[in-house]
Amino acid sequence: MRNLRCVGQKSVQNVPGIEAIAWDASSDSILNLRAADGLLHLDRWTEEGLQPIASWDAPPTPYKAINLHFFADTGIACIILDIGDIIVVRESPDNEEKIEIVGSIDAAISAAAWSPDEETLVVTTKASTIIYLTRDFEELTSVELTSRDLDLSDHVSVGWGKKETQFKGKKARALRDPTVPETIDDGRLADTNESCETTISWRGDGAYLAVNSVENASQRRMIRIYSREGILDSVSEPVNGLIGPLSWRPAGNLIAGVQLFEDKRQVVFFERNGLRHGQFPLRPLDGVQNGNGVSIRSLQWNVDSTVLAVTYDDRVQFWTMGNYHWYLKQEIMDPGLKWHPEKPLVFALISKGKERIRRLQYSLEVCAGPILPPFDYGVVAVIDGKSLKITPLRQANIPPPMSLHDVNLPANANDVVITLDGSDDGACRKPIFRILVLHQTWSSSYSLNLATMLPPTQVEKPAESRETSHVANAQEKLDSELRLSLEFRSTEVAPGPIKMTENGSLLANGRVLARGCTSYLVTPSHLIFTTSQQLLKLVHLIADTEALEVPSDTPESDERCRSIERGAKLVTAMPSIFAVVLQMPRGNLETIYPRALVLAGIRQCITKKKYKKAFLACRHQRVNMNILHDHHPEQFIANIPLIIDQIKKVEFIDLFLSSLREEDVSATMYRETLRAEQREDGGASSEGGGKVNIICNAFLEALASRKANVKNMITAQVCKNPPDLDAGLIEIVRLREKGSDRVEETVEHICFLADVNRLFDNALGLYDLQLTLLIAQQSQKDPREYLPFLQGFELMEPVRRKFSIDDHLGRFKKALHHLHNLSAFDELQAYTVRHNLYEHALSLHRHDTAKYASLMRLYADNLKSTSRFKEAATAFHYLGDHAQASECHRNANQWQEALSTSSLIPLSTAQLRAFAETLAHSAVETRDFRAAATIHLDHLHDVSAAANYFCKAYLFSDAFRAIATLPSSSQPNDLLASVFDSALADSMAVITDLIADCKAQLSAQVPRIRELREKKQADPLAFLEGDNAGADVPDDISLAPTDASTAGGGTLFTRYTNRSATGAGSLASSRRSSRNRRREERKRARGKKGSVYEEEYLVSSVARLVERVNGVGEEVGRLVEWLVRRTMVERARAVEAGMVEVVEMCGRAVEEVFAKEEGEVEGQEKKDTPVVKEYRKLSFLTSG
């Protein structure tokens, strides 16, 4: 789909007698050898002009320059003449001769060629000899060309084509093998144009060379394939009419030659083994009858094997191949061609009169029409000699070499431009394109009307003059049309000039956007380009070039990047249909729809309120339709009537409603890649939760007045979250009440949208048995089951039917309400107990005192049986059952309420005392010593027991008060000595044991934690392996995070934590079975010594100890105070000293244990550091 377009041209005039030219790739200049005034001149053509290098006397005998080659590394030019002389010209001689004849071959030279690496020279002599020379012109080997070379060929003849091997039986023609040719070439020479010349061509890697020569003995032209060492590898098969031109494709797969027939010429291809491999015909030349008088001089491939140049006596034709078809792309009326050795489409030409040199630079470009919508029909024109292949890819995606229109031109075309010429006056309003074709000396113009789909028509006849002025006018006209075409292809937001350099750098206003670019296009909103990494990338166009953001090479996560086939290049883009056309290396086309282009078009349509186009794009390109709302929620909700009017089709609206979900796709899967400050509409945020319901309710409101959209209303009800199936079924009921014939259709529709079993239950819950029957008929239910089931309901009274239906559906509260309406109180009580509906039953009978009390009795018994004693006591109080209430208070550990309620029963004094003793015993069992002391003091009047329990609660002041309030006759001092002091001693013993336990625990656990941490820092692998630390550990284990970890998706350092590595490995922990997880939790809780959980267990234990010490601080303070009061100073001092020591040990332990470790693994959980409360000592107690 690409044409050759001239992008640069220079020439030097008035240089008569040019014999040969050569390239200097280092300076990009041209060396030319010319003969003038009996001298040979070697000149260099640079930008400054011709610069002479050397001149010397021409040979006295007639001669021809066979080869001119320049060595850029040494500055030496080598000239080979057919008379046998090999001349070296040194541009900058260093103690050497500037011009030297390094050798001469007496037998004369027929052909010569340097290897691609410039290390080997191969020459053929007119004595049928091949000579291999080094760069220093020392002979390597020589090979004689003889007829015996045919014997070395590997070709095997099985007699095909001979009469004795032909099957001549009945129906022989029908049975003939189509793979067998009717005749076999014998290799005879062409009748005309045979100059018996010899040609040499190297393969691109320099490993082999081909020699095309005439074998005099057999009068046959053959191609011999030699290795670099001069060993004959193969000989070509016989080909009639083969002539001298030969060129080995640098890629190495084909050798091109020319075959002549009486009425045509064709290029034939050979493989390295000498076998034929296809051909293509050459076109007749303009102004020449059957090619008479014009012979083919040479064949030359360019350096990247994309263009084959066929040189005639008066012109050069350039051919390219795509999809196994050969295109004639250019014809230049200058015969002498020399390709640039490094730049693929740069070459030099010698004019026909040998007095002018031209330097031409071409590029392979697509001739496409406008890309600016709405004119982006993808019109592409392909040049093929006198045929112009035109295809509007948007209307007819026809792969090359075929085309929708094939325009016959009066002469070979060299360039073509497509511009917009207006639009037709019909209803379609399709554009009319103008196609300008440039020929050698004139141009022609054609008109293409896409509305008629007819071939282009010529609107301007070609000029007949061949003068240079007309050539210039034609080129100027083409340049003007090209500028006009580029204007239609330009963008509305121009970030400056965008171009691609020869080395593949993509530039925007001088800034390098990407390297390794192979093709690019510019649309109104995107810059699209392909890279050598097989990626298609899209860049959002904005006015600020520096802010252009090129996506990274992540096609799996970025919508602006997409993987493509290797070698694919852009042909054109059609933003109106979100399409991009690519051409593969073999020539076929592929139309793709890049997600970024599709989403950009959808967003643009939404912004312009073209919701139908946006919907159809979502439908065709499989884009989640939630984007229609999520891209601009407020605008969507405000324009729902407009959306309905645009989309119209009921099926399309149903499709949209059924695709709704709560996710904001504009923030997740279709996140806008154009930054908010660069968007014209500024973006829009989606609503919070309930998006689906908001949209469905808005559609219901808009559809309420549209009778034809009943299906859409049902869909909107069913697609709510949760589905409102009842509302959808009610719509069907209303439709049935109106006598519509669409009831069955709507029933089928709702059954398609929702689970038919749920619809059956919901229809039954509406108490509409007819509707339920319609739903059942659309389900897989057995009629023998649901018909008797529905008939049973039909026979019931209305209220009883409703109760039975609600009871069947599990709607027990509604069923209870129907029992209330039936006045079946006994059944209601049983139903209430069966389904635990006490609150609802009580609310129904709140105005009927007797029934309310009966239900309250049932509720109170239920509360008591379910151990809800506090609420049960309140219910029994309402019923006046104080005995049950008192028992419930006792079970709820409410001893005050129990004792106060027991007095209302009433009970005797002995019974009250026994009840109080029971409550006190229960308080002691629950370690509520304060409550037990209060009961013994206030209700049992047992001061001794009360004082003892007060002391156990460390409430020494209350105990002292209870004893001190006794009359003197009760001897309170004796109670203080026997009860109070004894209780103090017991409390001291408990505190002392606690302090000792804390000291022992800290002394054991803190050093162990220190030891474990030192071990982990010294050898982390051995520490984390736990019990297996002593075993042999392989030395090829990586400690870095990997997704293949068998321990739950993390590293060894995250294996035993609750937080696994991020990424795909973080899901590994969720894959572990619950049994393994519980086993790990049990191991963690045990904290077995030597396991990986030991440190975590010890740290938690220290934290719990600190909390315990903080909790007993006040109790120890009260104990010390009363020990001093009771003159037990030494005991008080000992308890205080022990407490102070424990607090200090806790402080040191917290600083050490909970300090942040160096090199701690990132993400590992850390426990909150506990705070040690300060213990306030008595001021008059000394430590001594």
Side-chain angles (χ1 to χ4, degrees):
M1 302 296 286
R2 281 170 163 74
N3 302 319
L4 283 173
R5 174 168 289 164
C6 183
V7 295
Q9 178 174 269
K10 296 178 182 178
S11 65
V12 57
Q13 306 283 346
N14 301 322
V15 187
I18 300 174
E19 296 289 338
I21 56 177
W23 282 94
D24 179 5
S26 61
S27 61
D28 202 23
S29 58
I30 300 174
L31 280 76
N32 68 286
L33 178 69
R34 60 188 178 89
D37 303 328
L39 298 176
L40 286 177
H41 302 271
L42 183 63
D43 304 326
R44 178 186 294 273
W45 176 32
T46 63
E47 293 182 356
E48 289 78 12
L50 279 177
Q51 300 175 359
I53 297 176
S55 299
W56 65 97
D57 294 334
T61 59
Y63 66 91
K64 177 182 178 182
I66 294 178
N67 184 275
L68 170 62
H69 189 83
F70 182 77
F71 298 94
D73 54 346
T74 59
I76 296 176
C78 178
I79 304 165
I80 301 175
L81 304 180
D82 64 343
I83 60 177
D85 292 343
I86 301 177
I87 305 171
V88 171
V89 179
R90 298 177 178 88
E91 191 170 8
S92 299
D94 186 12
N95 298 325
E96 293 179 305
E97 295 182 7
K98 188 178 183 67
I99 304 170
E100 179 183 0
I101 301 178
V102 295
S104 182
I105 299 175
D106 296 336
I109 298 174
S110 58
W114 285 93
S115 63
D117 59 359
E118 300 181 334
E119 294 295 331
T120 304
L121 171 64
V122 174
V123 297
T124 58
T125 68
K126 295 182 179 180
S128 300
T129 305
I130 301 178
I131 302 175
Y132 284 72
L133 303 174
T134 65
R135 185 167 177 174
D136 297 329
F137 304 102
E138 296 179 359
E139 183 176 346
L140 292 173
T141 185
S142 62
V143 180
E144 184 179 357
L145 303 178
T146 67
S147 59
R148 293 191 301 273
D149 293 341
L150 290 174
D151 301 333
L152 300 177
S153 176
D154 293 333
H155 306 149
V156 178
S157 176
V158 295
W160 286 347
K162 296 182 179 180
K163 291 184 178 181
E164 55 269 21
T165 61
Q166 298 292 316
F167 176 71
K168 295 296 183 179
K170 189 177 181 182
K171 300 182 180 178
R173 185 178 299 274
L175 296 176
R176 188 178 65 84
D177 188 349
T179 63
V180 177
E182 295 183 358
T183 59
I184 298 297
D185 288 355
D186 54 9
R188 63 179 180 273
L189 299 176
D191 295 337
T192 59
N193 297 320
E194 179 52 64
S195 59
C196 297
E197 62 179 336
T198 302
T199 311
I200 303 174
S201 180
W202 285 86
R203 199 169 75 172
D205 59 358
Y208 292 91
L209 63 96
V211 179
N212 184 1
S213 62
V214 176
E215 180 59 39
N216 295 325
S218 60
Q219 285 298 302
R220 167 190 166 185
R221 179 175 285 278
M222 68 174 68
I223 301 174
R224 295 175 173 87
I225 311 298
Y226 288 92
S227 67
R228 190 182 182 94
E229 292 75 22
I231 301 174
L232 181 63
D233 183 74
S234 61
V235 177
S236 65
E237 64 176 271
V239 176
N240 293 340
L242 189 66
I243 60 175
L246 181 75
S247 181
W248 200 326
R249 193 179 187 194
N253 59 337
L254 294 176
I255 304 171
V258 178
Q259 183 180 17
L260 297 184
F261 294 93
E262 294 181 358
D263 56 346
K264 66 176 182 178
R265 312 176 190 187
Q266 68 178 15
V267 175
V268 294
F269 297 109
F270 298 88
E271 298 177 8
R272 201 198 78 185
N273 57 14
L275 297 178
R276 284 278 298 272
H277 190 89
Q279 66 280 324
F280 71 89
L282 296 173
R283 314 286 169 78
L285 302 179
D286 291 340
V288 180
Q289 186 69 24
N290 295 328
N292 294 332
V294 179
S295 61
I296 298 177
R297 286 188 181 182
S298 65
L299 296 176
Q300 296 183 54
W301 291 96
N302 68 335
V303 69
D304 65 352
S305 305
T306 56
V307 181
L308 176 62
V310 180
T311 304
Y312 293 85
D313 289 336
D314 60 346
R315 71 194 72 191
V316 179
Q317 292 182 346
F318 296 91
W319 296 78
T320 63
M321 192 268 286
N323 243 13
Y324 306 102
H325 177 80
W326 286 89
Y327 298 87
L328 175 56
K329 293 297 184 181
Q330 283 280 332
E331 185 178 71
I332 303 177
M333 302 305 291
D334 283 330
L337 172 73
K338 187 68 174 180
W339 285 107
H340 195 287
E342 295 180 358
K343 298 180 180 180
L345 298 177
V346 177
F347 56 89
L349 282 175
I350 303 174
S351 66
K352 190 174 182 180
K354 295 185 178 182
E355 76 284 350
R356 181 182 64 170
I357 304 175
R358 297 170 62 192
R359 182 188 188 278
L360 298 171
Q361 181 174 359
Y362 279 74
S363 66
L364 283 169
E365 297 182 6
V366 177
C367 176
I371 297 179
L372 191 67
F375 312 113
D376 52 339
Y377 280 81
V379 181
V380 178
V382 180
I383 294 175
D384 187 13
K386 294 183 179 180
S387 175
L388 184 64
K389 302 177 181 296
I390 301 175
T391 303
L393 296 173
R394 183 169 166 184
Q395 290 182 325
N397 197 345
I398 300 176
M402 298 180 291
S403 62
L404 182 63
H405 303 301
D406 202 338
V407 182
N408 293 322
L409 303 175
N412 291 331
N414 282 355
D415 206 347
V416 60
V417 174
I418 302 175
T419 61
L420 187 67
D421 197 27
S423 60
D424 68 306
D425 297 330
C428 297
R429 301 291 295 174
K430 291 186 178 180
I432 299 175
F433 293 99
R434 183 184 180 189
I435 302 170
L436 182 66
V437 182
L438 178 66
H439 305 279
Q440 283 292 330
T441 57
W442 42 277
S443 63
S444 57
S445 182
Y446 298 85
S447 177
L448 175 63
N449 191 341
L450 295 183
T452 61
M453 293 295 289
L454 295 177
T457 57
Q458 188 170 357
V459 297
E460 182 179 331
K461 292 188 177 181
E464 297 297 335
S465 175
R466 297 286 196 252
E467 297 297 330
T468 306
S469 60
H470 289 279
V471 177
N473 292 337
Q475 184 64 44
E476 183 180 352
K477 188 175 183 180
L478 181 75
D479 294 340
S480 175
E481 295 290 342
L482 182 59
R483 287 193 297 271
L484 180 62
S485 174
L486 293 176
E487 290 178 5
F488 279 102
R489 294 165 63 89
S490 63
T491 62
E492 296 176 351
V493 182
I498 298 176
K499 63 179 181 179
M500 185 176 69
T501 62
E502 294 180 0
N503 60 2
S505 297
L506 189 62
L507 307 178
N509 201 16
R511 176 198 168 193
V512 178
L513 295 179
R515 302 187 187 277
C517 179
T518 57
S519 61
Y520 78 97
L521 284 174
V522 181
T523 70
S525 57
H526 291 90
L527 166 63
I528 310 173
F529 64 93
T530 57
T531 68
S532 56
Q533 287 79 29
Q534 299 89 55
L535 295 174
L536 175 74
K537 294 188 177 183
L538 294 94
V539 179
H540 295 288
L541 289 181
I542 54 176
D544 185 7
T545 305
E546 298 299 325
L548 290 176
E549 183 180 358
V550 180
S552 58
D553 298 345
T554 53
E556 65 280 355
S557 59
D558 196 334
E559 67 181 27
R560 299 170 295 172
C561 184
R562 171 176 176 153
S563 298
I564 57 176
E565 185 177 336
R566 180 185 298 271
K569 292 185 179 181
L570 291 166
V571 175
T572 187
M574 293 167 279
S576 296
I577 59 172
F578 326 118
V580 171
V581 181
L582 297 168
Q583 187 169 27
M584 303 301 111
R586 56 189 172 273
N588 60 308
L589 300 180
E590 181 178 344
T591 302
I592 64 173
Y593 299 85
R595 187 61 75 186
L597 205 61
V598 173
L599 294 177
I602 292 174
R603 294 185 184 111
Q604 185 178 10
C605 292
I606 293 173
T607 303
K608 295 180 179 180
K609 298 183 181 180
K610 298 180 179 179
Y611 284 99
K612 181 176 182 180
K613 185 176 181 180
F615 171 84
L616 293 176
C618 292
R619 181 170 176 263
H620 294 158
Q621 302 300 329
R622 295 180 177 271
V623 176
N624 192 304
M625 293 187 182
N626 283 267
I627 194 175
L628 299 176
H629 167 270
D630 295 342
H631 179 64
H632 211 317
E634 293 82 4
Q635 175 182 300
F636 182 89
I637 296 298
N639 290 276
I640 284 182
L642 174 64
I643 296 171
I644 297 174
D645 291 335
Q646 286 184 358
I647 297 180
K648 292 182 181 179
K649 283 192 176 182
V650 175
E651 295 80 6
F652 287 172
I653 298 175
D654 282 345
L655 178 60
F656 168 74
L657 293 173
S658 60
S659 302
L660 292 175
R661 59 183 181 183
E662 295 294 343
E663 178 188 0
D664 183 2
V665 298
S666 64
T668 54
M669 65 172 67
Y670 302 137
R671 184 175 61 254
E672 175 64 86
T673 52
L674 185 63
R675 292 194 291 268
E677 63 270 15
Q678 299 171 353
R679 295 200 297 266
E680 296 181 359
D681 58 356
S685 59
S686 177
E687 295 98 342
K691 178 189 83 173
V692 175
N693 290 345
I694 292 174
I695 297 175
C696 290
N697 290 331
F699 266 89
L700 287 171
E701 183 179 353
L703 293 169
S705 59
R706 301 171 188 258
K707 298 181 180 179
N709 296 77
V710 178
K711 282 187 178 181
N712 296 148
M713 297 183 69
I714 293 175
T715 304
Q717 299 286 7
V718 174
C719 291
K720 288 184 179 180
N721 189 18
D724 193 354
L725 300 181
D726 289 346
L729 292 170
I730 290 173
E731 293 293 337
I732 298 177
V733 173
R734 292 174 181 170
L735 199 65
R736 186 189 63 193
E737 292 174 353
K738 295 178 181 179
S740 175
D741 55 353
R742 300 173 56 191
V743 174
E744 185 174 354
E745 180 184 351
T746 53
V747 169
E748 292 178 359
H749 179 68
I750 196 172
C751 290
F752 172 77
L753 294 174
D755 182 13
V756 69
N757 294 317
R758 289 187 60 190
L759 287 172
F760 180 85
D761 293 340
N762 284 80
L764 189 61
L766 295 177
Y767 316 116
D768 192 330
L769 299 181
Q770 185 178 356
L771 178 62
T772 307
L773 180 61
L774 290 175
I775 297 296
Q777 290 172 350
Q778 299 296 328
S779 69
Q780 300 295 324
K781 295 180 179 293
D782 190 350
R784 293 175 295 182
E785 295 180 1
Y786 68 77
L787 286 178
F789 175 74
L790 296 178
Q791 288 172 358
F793 289 130
E794 186 69 28
L795 298 176
M796 298 179 184
E797 296 178 359
V799 180
R800 175 60 66 175
R801 180 192 307 139
K802 292 180 179 180
F803 164 75
S804 300
I805 290 174
D806 289 330
D807 180 61
H808 169 75
L809 297 176
R811 302 190 293 192
F812 303 121
K813 290 183 180 180
K814 295 186 70 174
L816 188 70
H817 184 77
H818 294 313
L819 284 178
H820 177 66
N821 293 337
L822 288 171
S823 301
F825 185 70
D826 293 339
E827 187 179 356
L828 184 143
Q829 284 183 304
Y831 199 80
T832 299
V833 173
R834 186 185 312 123
H835 298 292
N836 196 16
L837 300 173
Y838 300 101
E839 295 90 344
H840 191 61
L842 289 171
S843 65
L844 291 175
H845 297 84
R846 59 184 178 273
H847 301 298
D848 192 334
T849 306
K851 293 181 179 180
Y852 190 85
S854 299
L855 293 171
M856 183 63 76
R857 171 67 64 177
L858 296 174
Y859 190 28
D861 293 339
N862 176 263
L863 292 173
K864 183 180 179 181
S865 63
T866 56
S867 301
R868 297 166 62 184
F869 298 110
K870 186 176 181 180
E871 297 179 38
T874 303
F876 283 121
H877 275 298
Y878 172 80
L879 297 171
D881 191 346
H882 300 296
Q884 291 287 349
S886 178
E887 182 181 357
C888 289
H889 282 307
R890 179 178 65 83
N891 292 331
N893 295 322
Q894 295 177 317
W895 61 271
Q896 295 97 332
E897 289 83 354
L899 287 173
S900 60
T901 303
S902 62
S903 62
L904 301 176
I905 296 178
L907 296 176
S908 63
T909 304
Q911 290 174 330
L912 282 174
R913 184 176 182 81
F915 187 66
E917 290 177 352
T918 303
L919 291 175
H921 182 69
S922 299
V924 172
E925 289 180 348
T926 59
R927 302 190 63 82
D928 189 359
F929 297 114
R930 185 170 191 169
T934 304
I935 294 173
H936 278 283
L937 182 64
D938 295 341
H939 297 278
L940 298 178
H941 308 291
D942 188 349
V943 177
S944 175
N948 186 33
Y949 288 127
F950 275 130
C951 289
K952 287 185 177 182
Y954 295 91
L955 300 173
F956 302 107
S957 298
D958 293 336
F960 187 80
R961 178 183 57 80
I963 295 175
T965 55
L966 290 174
S968 57
S969 58
S970 300
Q971 299 178 349
N973 291 329
D974 295 339
L975 287 176
L976 286 175
S978 60
V979 177
F980 191 80
D981 292 347
S982 177
L984 280 176
D986 294 340
S987 299
M988 176 185 170
V990 173
I991 293 297
T992 303
D993 292 341
L994 174 64
I995 292 173
D997 292 341
C998 292
K999 289 180 181 179
Q1001 182 177 342
L1002 289 173
S1003 300
Q1005 291 182 344
V1006 173
R1008 178 60 179 169
I1009 293 174
R1010 187 184 308 118
E1011 178 185 355
L1012 290 173
R1013 289 180 175 174
E1014 291 174 355
K1015 179 181 178 183
K1016 180 172 64 174
Q1017 187 174 4
D1019 191 356
L1021 182 60
F1023 172 79
L1024 291 174
E1025 284 298 327
D1027 297 335
N1028 299 325
D1032 293 336
V1033 180
D1035 59 358
D1036 58 349
I1037 295 178
S1038 173
L1039 300 183
T1042 63
D1043 293 343
S1045 174
T1046 58
T1051 66
L1052 283 174
F1053 300 100
T1054 61
R1055 174 180 178 181
Y1056 299 105
T1057 61
N1058 289 330
R1059 192 170 300 175
S1060 41
T1062 58
S1066 63
L1067 299 178
S1069 59
S1070 63
R1071 294 194 294 265
R1072 284 192 288 178
S1073 65
S1074 59
R1075 180 169 57 183
N1076 292 340
R1077 188 164 52 251
R1078 289 195 300 269
R1079 182 176 61 188
E1080 293 292 330
E1081 290 173 356
R1082 288 195 297 270
K1083 289 183 180 180
R1084 187 189 301 272
R1086 286 196 302 268
K1088 180 182 176 182
K1089 186 174 182 179
S1091 69
V1092 293
Y1093 299 118
E1094 182 184 2
E1095 181 189 0
E1096 181 183 357
Y1097 174 80
L1098 293 176
V1099 171
S1100 300
S1101 179
V1102 171
R1104 292 193 298 270
L1105 184 142
V1106 172
E1107 293 177 0
R1108 187 178 180 187
V1109 170
N1110 290 337
V1112 301
E1114 295 182 0
E1115 298 175 356
V1116 173
R1118 291 197 296 268
L1119 174 63
V1120 171
E1121 179 183 351
W1122 278 98
L1123 285 173
V1124 173
R1125 287 187 181 186
R1126 298 301 296 167
T1127 67
M1128 303 177 190
V1129 178
E1130 294 301 326
R1131 293 184 181 183
R1133 183 178 289 113
V1135 172
E1136 186 177 72
M1139 186 63 184
V1140 170
E1141 183 179 0
V1142 168
V1143 171
E1144 291 177 353
M1145 291 179 67
C1146 289
R1148 292 193 298 271
V1150 168
E1151 291 180 358
E1152 179 179 354
V1153 172
F1154 294 92
K1156 186 175 181 180
E1157 302 179 47
E1158 294 184 3
E1160 183 179 1
V1161 177
E1162 187 68 22
Q1164 185 172 355
E1165 291 184 357
K1166 293 293 293 180
K1167 293 184 177 298
D1168 295 334
T1169 303
V1171 179
V1172 181
K1173 292 184 179 179
E1174 181 183 2
Y1175 174 74
R1176 304 185 66 177
K1177 300 185 292 183
L1178 287 177
S1179 60
F1180 50 81
L1181 287 178
T1182 60
S1183 60

